[in-house]
Amino acid sequence: MGTPDLRTTRKVVSTIYGTLLLLCIGVIAIVHIAGRKAEMEKGTTRLNGITAGLAAQLNADHVQLVLDRYDGRGMLIKNTQDAWYYVLSDQLRKAAEHNGISGPIRVLTYDSLKQELQIAVSSTQVPEFRMPCTDAAPVITRTYGHTGHAEVRIGEEETLLSHAALRNASGALVGTVVATMPVNEVLGGATSAMWRNIGVALLLFAIVGAGLITAIRRWLERAERASRDLQQRHAGIADSIAYAGKIQRALVPSPEVYNELFESSFVIDRPKDMVSGDFHWYQRIDEDTCFVAAADCTGHGLPGAMLAAIGCSLLNEIVPRQSNSDPAELLGQLNTRLITTLHQQGVARGAGDGMDVALCRIDRKAREILFAGAFRPLFWLHEGQLTVINGDRKPIGGSQHELDRRFTVHRLAYSPGDRIYLFSDGYVDQFGGPERKRFMSARLQDLLGGSRALTMGEQAELLERAFTEWKGSEEQVDDVCVLGLAV
């Protein structure tokens, strides 16, 4: 008789436990649904308050001023490039940090010519100025000029979005302030509450649940500590690169020094990263004579910048001591010194860093240019005709060739009004255009030859604009340095 009673008891206990488990699951589900609804309402109210507050605080006239001043993509590449933009971006950044929003806060404006919604101001470190806003653009475009909110899908993630119209003092619409927050972040509190309830339920059914919760909590703490350490290391690296850029700018001549000897000039310097592996260089010998160069070092970013600093320092050391030497002899000396400095003697072929250099000695009294190039050409605009003078097909440094390298010197008798152009390969190697091809040297020749009637400043603007339009939305592939001189 005892055995059937035991079996019945077990069945009853199992039924009770099962019923209680189902009741716990139902209660947790109801509480979680209510919590989700409350968190979504709270998140919507929070985002609406942020966008409405920013729409009231931001100076719409300053936003319009920035849009009028820079009417093309890529014209604003640093937050500190424009004072008004910096102030506006800093306001958005502080609002994001103060409110704990991980995604960017943006001011969007509608470009009627391109018929697209564009980013005017962003809280990000790198400006997204005039880049098209594709995420949630249909929702904002339909309600552009009004205040509202919506739940949208951006990529693979459900996101809560709020926007508020930005108007100037006269009531004219300038743009809309947009803030987003992933739904997963909005529901963080409700999700945490659900897991706490599940933990309590598990504790009622198994003591092991307590140990499991403790283990999860410890894992999360370790992950949070690791995340903080990673952020600190990233911040340290960014600060180091920024300081390296400061040192590099101190080594490379200011663009204004070229106007000391030449009628006019321009310098286009567009690093791919914060620092550049390309550099231009200048050394004045006397009242009428100077050396100029443009160099392209192996790599870009911090490694390229370190090599550029070495190359610039070696030129500063070699040229003043041998100012009577021609550029070919100086390139030979530079090659020997760089190989020695980098300990590249005896290294296997193809293994080693170096640089491509175009070096000129310009004598205004004799009206003569001496040119030598290591894998870099000279473009010479003489009496309205553009001529390409190629350098030798051997680099400075590296282990691809012999230690004692000899270069060819080219002697040019120039006339007043002539121009010369030295440049790295970053400009002509840029991918873009309708077929995503390289810009190529021939297109640069046509651009310079066709704009020979423009001033040097106007030519620089033309080259900048052509590069930006060609690149479009493509990533910049390399550092860019172009030096133009009216000799």
Side-chain angles (χ1 to χ4, degrees):
M1 293 295 296
T3 302
D5 292 340
L6 180 61
R7 290 176 180 174
T8 302
T9 301
R10 287 176 177 174
K11 289 181 180 179
V12 171
V13 171
S14 298
T15 301
I16 292 173
Y17 268 79
T19 303
L20 290 176
L21 179 61
L22 291 175
L23 286 174
C24 286
I25 292 174
V27 170
I28 291 172
I30 292 172
V31 171
H32 181 59
I33 292 172
R36 281 175 61 94
K37 183 177 180 181
E39 290 292 338
M40 289 292 288
E41 292 175 352
K42 186 191 301 182
T44 300
T45 303
R46 180 181 171 196
L47 282 181
N48 288 342
I50 293 170
T51 55
L54 285 171
Q57 295 170 12
L58 292 174
N59 192 317
D61 291 330
H62 292 171
V63 175
Q64 188 63 56
L65 181 64
V66 173
L67 290 170
D68 293 340
R69 185 177 296 172
Y70 306 98
D71 59 357
R73 294 171 188 164
M75 295 181 68
L76 214 164
I77 59 176
K78 295 189 298 185
N79 281 356
T80 56
Q81 182 177 333
D82 185 278
W84 290 126
Y85 183 88
Y86 176 80
V87 171
L88 293 166
S89 177
D90 194 57
Q91 284 183 268
L92 298 184
R93 179 186 63 78
K94 288 179 179 178
E97 292 177 353
H98 177 74
N99 291 282
I101 295 180
S102 59
I105 300 179
R106 296 163 172 165
V107 176
L108 305 181
T109 184
Y110 187 78
D111 190 324
S112 57
L113 293 178
K114 295 185 178 180
Q115 295 188 345
E116 66 179 11
L117 202 62
Q118 297 179 348
I119 300 170
V121 187
S122 173
S123 62
T124 57
Q125 290 293 328
V126 179
E128 301 173 285
F129 184 73
R130 286 204 179 273
M131 296 302 292
C133 176
T134 55
D135 50 0
V139 174
I140 300 175
T141 302
R142 285 197 303 269
T143 57
Y144 186 69
H146 301 279
T147 297
H149 62 270
E151 185 175 348
V152 298
R153 175 174 291 276
I154 298 178
E156 299 296 325
E157 195 170 42
E158 290 291 332
T159 302
L160 192 61
L161 178 146
S162 175
H163 58 94
L166 179 64
R167 300 179 182 274
N168 60 21
S170 61
L173 179 65
V174 175
T176 183
V177 182
V178 179
T180 60
M181 182 182 294
V183 170
N184 289 337
E185 291 183 16
V186 176
L187 298 178
T191 304
S192 299
M194 181 189 69
W195 284 113
R196 284 196 300 271
N197 292 334
I198 291 176
V200 172
L202 290 175
L203 183 62
L204 295 174
F205 295 98
I207 302 300
V208 179
L212 180 61
I213 293 173
T214 301
I216 292 175
R217 185 173 61 250
R218 290 175 179 173
W219 177 80
L220 290 174
E221 289 173 352
R222 288 195 299 270
E224 185 177 355
R225 286 196 298 270
S227 177
R228 285 198 301 268
D229 292 342
L230 182 61
Q231 291 175 354
Q232 291 174 356
R233 288 195 294 271
H234 181 271
I237 292 172
D239 291 343
S240 298
I241 294 175
Y243 191 72
K246 185 177 180 180
I247 295 174
Q248 185 182 42
R249 287 190 293 273
L251 288 172
V252 175
S254 169
E256 286 74 20
V257 302
Y258 298 102
N259 294 326
E260 296 176 3
L261 195 63
F262 301 103
E263 179 181 345
S264 60
S265 64
F266 69 78
V267 174
I268 297 176
D269 187 11
R270 296 179 62 147
K272 182 183 186 304
D273 303 310
M274 295 176 65
V275 289
S276 176
D278 295 356
F279 68 92
H280 56 91
W281 176 85
Y282 170 93
Q283 180 68 53
R284 188 166 187 170
I285 305 303
D286 55 40
E287 185 177 353
D288 297 308
T289 308
C290 70
F291 284 88
V292 294
D296 184 350
C297 298
T298 302
H300 49 77
L302 193 56
M306 294 177 66
L307 192 57
I310 295 173
C312 194
S313 299
L314 289 176
L315 283 171
N316 287 333
E317 178 185 345
I318 294 170
V319 174
R321 293 180 179 178
Q322 304 181 44
S323 59
N324 292 325
S325 299
D326 64 47
E329 295 169 337
L330 293 174
L331 286 184
Q333 289 292 320
L334 178 63
N335 173 71
T336 302
R337 288 296 305 278
L338 185 62
I339 290 177
T340 304
T341 301
L342 298 181
H343 305 290
Q344 293 176 328
Q345 304 96 318
V347 180
R349 289 175 61 85
D353 297 321
M355 62 184 71
D356 302 337
V357 183
L359 178 63
C360 289
R361 186 180 193 274
I362 303 173
D363 188 337
R364 296 191 68 189
K365 186 175 182 180
R367 290 186 180 176
E368 181 181 58
I369 298 173
L370 302 183
F371 164 72
F375 267 124
R376 297 308 310 145
L378 169 71
F379 282 10
W380 178 29
L381 187 61
H382 175 61
E383 296 180 351
Q385 182 68 36
L386 186 70
T387 303
V388 178
I389 303 170
N390 291 311
D392 295 292
R393 297 186 61 79
K394 57 183 74 172
I396 301 297
S399 55
Q400 300 92 335
H401 298 275
E402 66 283 353
L403 177 63
D404 184 18
R405 299 175 197 172
R406 299 187 181 278
F407 296 88
T408 305
V409 64
H410 302 268
R411 294 181 179 272
L412 312 175
Y414 72 88
S415 304
D418 285 5
R419 298 178 181 181
I420 61 172
Y421 305 91
L422 309 175
F423 54 94
S424 65
D425 61 6
Y427 194 102
V428 297
D429 284 349
Q430 177 61 46
F431 283 98
E435 299 180 0
R436 198 183 174 276
K437 292 184 177 181
R438 295 183 189 271
F439 192 86
M440 301 302 290
S441 179
R443 190 172 280 106
L444 178 59
Q445 294 175 44
D446 294 339
L447 202 60
L448 291 172
S451 62
R452 57 185 177 273
L454 300 179
T455 66
M456 296 297 283
E458 291 170 339
Q459 268 198 335
E461 293 178 3
L462 176 65
L463 292 178
E464 289 270 21
R465 186 167 60 252
F467 182 84
T468 300
E469 292 175 353
W470 181 264
K471 183 174 75 69
S473 60
E474 295 289 336
E475 180 183 0
Q476 184 171 329
V477 298
D478 200 358
D479 301 319
V480 173
C481 179
V482 182
L483 174 61
L485 302 172
V487 295

